[in-house]
Amino acid sequence: MSLQRGRAFADDAETLIDRSIFSDPVLHRQELARVFARSWLFLAHESQFTKPGDFFTTYMGADPVIVTRQRDGSYKVVLNSCRHRGMRVCRYDSGNAKAFTCPYHGWSYGTDGALLSVPEEEAAYGDGLDHSAWGLAAVPRVETYKGLVFGTWDTEIPPLTEYLGDFTYYLDALVDLDGEGTTAAAGVHRWRMRGNWKLGAEQFAGDMYHAYSTHLSALIAEAPHSKGIRPPEEGFQVGLPGGHGLGGYPGYPYWHAQGFSAEVEDWIGNMLERAAERLGPARTTGAVFIHGTAFPNLSLLWNRWTLRVWHPKGPDAMEVHSWSILPKNAPPAVRRALLLDYQRHFSASGTWEQDDAEQWNYSTSGSDGFVTASLPLHYGMGVGRGPNKDFPEFPGTVDTVYSEINQRHFYRRWSELMAVPHPAEKAAPETPAAQSPTSETPVTESAKAVIA
Amino acid sequence: MTALLPETASGITVERLLLQYEVEQFLYHEADLLGRHDYDAWLALFTDDLRYYMPIRRNHSSRDPETVEHDDALALIDDDKPFLAERIAKIATGKAWADDPLPRVRHLLTNVVIGEEDAKAGEFTVTSYLLIVRNRLEDEQDSFVCGRTDRFRRTPDGLRISRRRIVLDQSVILSKNMSVMF
Ligand code: FES
Ligand SMILES: [Fe+2]
């Protein structure tokens, strides 16, 4: 089996995955450029910012960035790396700032990235330092969708809503259910695990199949308060163009199985009824969306009111950032109950989360061996099966609940992007250009865009 | 009411030494139960109205608080006794893949200090430092360094803990899970 570099599939039928994509360091460097620098990446929830200068630090791929609310209410996202020696100019998780002053030599940048001042500038540089050319690299495009802030380095990518496409039909069933929107609970859960980031992203995109095996212990332990309420036998997976995917079940009163008080259960039930009047029953009372991924690395759990990002940390590790996104005008008791339900099951200490991390750890590490790595993995579930006609209103390609259609969509999109080198890639470490001190490094158009 | 924490001018009495000894032995016993994965016996050391809480610690400027603790804020752990029992029931299934095979865990305990008395509640606080080392499978090795503030209550069954606040010395959790008990 020979790998065509940059293609996830090991066969023409696109049912086998070459597992080097989970461990190869060269492919990893390439995907930072070809996938992450070419996609819309989730950054933050708008409710994390209340006033100008409020900032939040995160990552786009492996690049550290600072998201800041501007005076006009818009968001500016800049690379968290000083243009002088590359020092991280902001080392706080969040806060409020008028400027970011580099601790190393003191270059100071506005929250929009503009270089404001340089210590001893006259003595150090005379008039030789062009401030306009040495600001923090600004992410060229930042857009929001119903409270969710995204950024991309790609100047030619379609607008965010077009990029998300029909995923918004489903996303609205989390962030726009009752028309009052969501706010994030304070704080972000962040933790690192061994395992390639794609294993998390693809599982959330399309893997209902793992639930009863991976999460068996949690299911047994919570059986006493789940009142025998279980999902119906037949559910769905929906694969969408652009590599997005999600899965769930026809409507069932899942919120009665989570040990909530009657007050909380009533509120959720009533809210879904109101949502059904606004959005129609198909994606409210008629369906329970469970898991989903917006390509490449934003994942959601609708029934747990949470979303998360899988940040790559090298080919064999990831860092999860996870939020609790709650209905804005829900009573405090409801927000509290939903927050705890998410936290106890899907944070780093969560009883469901723990067992996923175990799978990703040892799925990735298995790819290290020569013979192991040469054996492709089976992604053929549901191939050749006709569409699932039970959900006629759902946009996308609908299959039954146990299907790998979404994983195949995900890796088709990944392969498309990986097939085209990024113009700025020649600067990547695996191909160090031999340079004499006088040679000029060519700067590509897109690299210029990045540092403009 | 007899004082829970006997006082003298020097602050040291035989009663106080005995209490220090009793508290330390309690905590050593607890650590031993956890090392042996005897979670049922461990859970019995807590009162039924337990709150078992671990806030998120942030990297923050000196102007901002280190932790954000209110009902609408995330925490690393915020459990009551029934949910701790659920965690234990999960491990006991033998199907908890993160804990199967079980890790080798040791709770190293130090800096045990008896603090304030809340005579009205019949409780007193105890702070301690804790280093948990978890080794598992071939090469997994995690450590969790934390400080704990426990509220001890004397019950007819003996000393019990009614509130445990754990402050873990990590902002990004550097382990793939937090299935250990603190
Ligand atoms: S590295 Fe930032 S001022 Fe020198
Ligand atoms: Fe899972």
Side-chain angles (χ1 to χ4, degrees):
Chain A
M1 199 70 54
S2 73
L3 170 69
Q4 189 191 327
R5 189 142 264 185
R7 191 164 169 273
F9 295 102
D11 63 335
D12 291 336
E14 304 191 329
T15 63
L16 302 175
I17 290 286
D18 187 311
R19 63 190 289 175
S20 68
I21 68 166
F22 301 125
S23 60
D24 185 322
V26 176
L27 286 181
H28 173 66
R29 291 296 311 175
Q30 287 181 350
E31 77 183 356
L32 293 180
R34 300 179 188 187
V35 176
F36 284 95
R38 282 204 189 112
S39 299
W40 278 105
L41 303 175
F42 177 75
L43 297 167
H45 192 285
E46 285 199 81
S47 59
Q48 293 175 255
F49 309 86
T50 52
K51 49 189 187 304
D54 280 359
F55 67 84
F56 174 68
T57 54
T58 181
Y59 291 88
M60 292 173 70
D63 292 310
V65 295
I66 316 169
V67 185
T68 314
R69 173 102 130 202
Q70 304 295 299
R71 286 195 185 289
D72 63 1
S74 68
Y75 299 92
K76 197 84 181 176
V77 185
V78 295
L79 208 55
N80 191 0
S81 181
C82 182
R83 295 297 300 286
H84 180 229
R85 283 293 180 285
M87 175 62 188
R88 224 170 253 220
V89 298
C90 179
R91 277 91 34 72
Y92 307 137
D93 301 337
S94 59
N96 184 275
K98 291 192 169 58
F100 298 110
T101 301
C102 179
Y104 199 166
H105 310 89
W107 287 22
S108 189
Y109 303 90
T111 60
D112 60 354
L115 181 59
L116 300 178
S117 66
V118 171
E120 305 293 348
E121 182 164 5
E122 179 69 40
Y125 296 101
D127 56 5
L129 187 67
D130 177 0
H131 282 218
S132 67
W134 292 98
L136 295 175
V139 172
R141 293 177 61 190
V142 179
E143 293 178 17
T144 62
Y145 183 79
K146 298 189 179 179
L148 311 183
V149 185
F150 293 74
T152 181
W153 293 106
D154 191 336
T155 49
E156 272 137 51
I157 200 169
L160 176 63
T161 44
E162 203 178 306
Y163 173 92
L164 292 171
D166 284 329
F167 194 78
T168 60
Y169 171 88
Y170 304 97
L171 183 56
D172 286 352
L174 178 67
V175 299
D176 192 21
L177 259 182
D178 59 3
E180 297 178 34
T182 58
T183 54
V188 181
H189 285 128
R190 302 186 298 169
W191 70 103
R192 282 202 194 168
M193 53 177 98
R194 293 293 301 273
N196 184 271
W197 69 274
K198 293 188 288 300
L199 289 165
E202 68 148 86
Q203 192 219 73
F204 274 60
D207 190 342
M208 192 71 85
Y209 186 56
H210 81 289
Y212 287 104
S213 178
T214 292
H215 301 297
L216 182 57
S217 62
L219 286 163
I220 294 170
E222 60 199 46
H225 64 68
S226 61
K227 303 178 202 157
I229 298 169
R230 288 174 57 139
E233 290 285 302
E234 296 293 339
F236 53 82
Q237 293 293 336
V238 184
L240 296 163
H244 319 305
L246 69 143
Y249 290 99
Y252 73 100
Y254 72 89
W255 62 95
H256 287 287
Q258 286 165 283
F260 294 148
S261 68
E263 178 199 353
V264 173
E265 291 182 350
D266 288 349
W267 190 90
I268 296 172
N270 291 336
M271 189 270 290
L272 283 172
E273 294 293 338
R274 279 185 283 129
E277 284 165 28
R278 286 186 71 235
L279 304 176
R283 54 179 159 155
T284 51
T285 48
V288 181
F289 303 122
I290 309 258
H291 58 77
T293 292
F295 189 90
N297 64 336
L298 167 65
S299 291
L300 293 78
L301 293 168
W302 280 257
N303 59 334
R304 305 287 187 170
W305 298 89
T306 180
L307 53 82
R308 61 172 58 190
V309 176
W310 316 93
H311 294 296
K313 292 285 169 195
D316 58 356
M318 59 181 137
E319 183 171 308
V320 184
H321 290 193
S322 181
W323 286 256
S324 172
I325 301 294
L326 302 167
K328 185 176 181 180
N329 291 330
V334 172
R335 287 179 64 93
R336 180 76 185 147
L338 295 174
L339 182 161
L340 285 178
D341 181 68
Y342 147 68
Q343 183 168 283
R344 288 173 174 176
H345 299 96
F346 283 96
S347 69
S349 65
T351 51
W352 282 60
E353 187 64 48
Q354 293 169 11
D355 296 314
D356 286 313
E358 184 73 1
Q359 319 299 350
W360 301 326
N361 188 159
Y362 290 101
S363 299
T364 297
S365 61
S367 300
D368 290 343
F370 168 68
V371 178
T372 323
S374 72
L375 293 172
L377 299 172
H378 192 292
Y379 277 69
M381 194 189 302
V383 162
R385 187 159 51 209
N388 177 352
K389 300 210 170 68
D390 292 346
F391 305 91
E393 294 186 51
F394 286 0
T397 309
V398 185
D399 201 349
T400 47
V401 76
Y402 296 145
S403 168
E404 282 159 357
I405 184 177
N406 296 355
Q407 289 92 327
R408 292 190 291 273
H409 272 266
F410 180 92
Y411 288 115
R412 224 168 271 142
R413 178 63 185 151
W414 187 87
S415 300
E416 275 168 26
L417 290 169
M418 288 292 281
V420 185
H422 191 285
E425 244 176 88
K426 55 175 67 96
E430 69 268 18
T431 54
Q435 286 176 22
S436 73
T438 53
S439 80
E440 275 187 37
T441 308
V443 178
T444 64
E445 285 310 308
S446 91
K448 276 185 196 155
V450 161
I451 56 179
Chain B
M1 181 190 248
T2 3
L4 291 160
L5 306 180
E7 285 174 48
T8 63
S10 69
I12 300 176
T13 61
V14 171
E15 288 77 10
R16 181 73 188 222
L17 288 172
L18 288 174
L19 184 65
Q20 176 78 23
Y21 180 80
E22 184 185 12
V23 164
E24 285 178 5
Q25 290 302 310
F26 179 101
L27 293 171
Y28 294 155
H29 173 60
E30 183 198 1
D32 184 57
L33 292 174
L34 288 172
R36 288 189 283 113
H37 306 288
D38 189 349
Y39 296 117
D40 291 329
W42 175 71
L43 193 63
L45 301 179
F46 298 97
T47 63
D48 289 344
D49 58 348
L50 170 71
R51 185 174 186 201
Y52 178 89
Y53 177 72
M54 183 193 290
I56 295 173
R57 298 181 78 181
R58 310 163 58 216
N59 299 302
H60 63 103
S61 81
S62 53
R63 289 190 305 274
D64 293 323
E66 191 194 18
T67 62
V68 179
E69 304 181 40
H70 54 73
D71 276 358
D72 209 55
L74 297 181
L76 292 169
I77 300 174
D78 194 348
D79 287 355
D80 50 18
K81 198 172 184 184
F83 196 75
L84 266 189
E86 197 169 309
R87 291 186 188 277
I88 289 166
K90 172 190 187 317
I91 295 172
T93 62
K95 311 283 183 198
W97 313 124
D99 286 284
D100 176 67
L102 280 169
R104 292 164 281 273
V105 187
R106 226 169 269 281
H107 287 60
L108 307 174
L109 184 74
T110 172
N111 301 53
V112 178
V113 176
I114 297 176
E116 295 293 301
E117 175 179 359
D118 179 347
K120 226 170 107 202
E123 297 186 333
F124 58 96
T125 59
V126 175
T127 55
S128 57
Y129 293 175
L130 180 66
L131 166 62
I132 304 171
V133 181
R134 173 173 70 174
N135 174 281
R136 187 167 168 270
L137 287 170
E138 295 164 9
D139 56 3
E140 287 184 26
Q141 178 104 358
D142 295 317
S143 60
F144 301 91
V145 180
C146 47
R148 295 186 302 196
T149 304
D150 293 328
R151 279 176 75 94
F152 275 74
R153 183 185 301 166
R154 197 165 298 276
T155 76
D157 301 325
L159 280 184
R160 293 290 179 267
I161 293 171
S162 67
R163 190 177 199 282
R164 167 163 287 174
R165 181 173 189 275
I166 309 136
V167 179
L168 178 68
D169 296 344
Q170 296 180 20
S171 64
V172 175
I173 302 306
L174 299 175
S175 304
K176 63 181 169 182
N177 68 52
M178 294 169 69
S179 68
V180 293
M181 305 300 172
F182 295 85

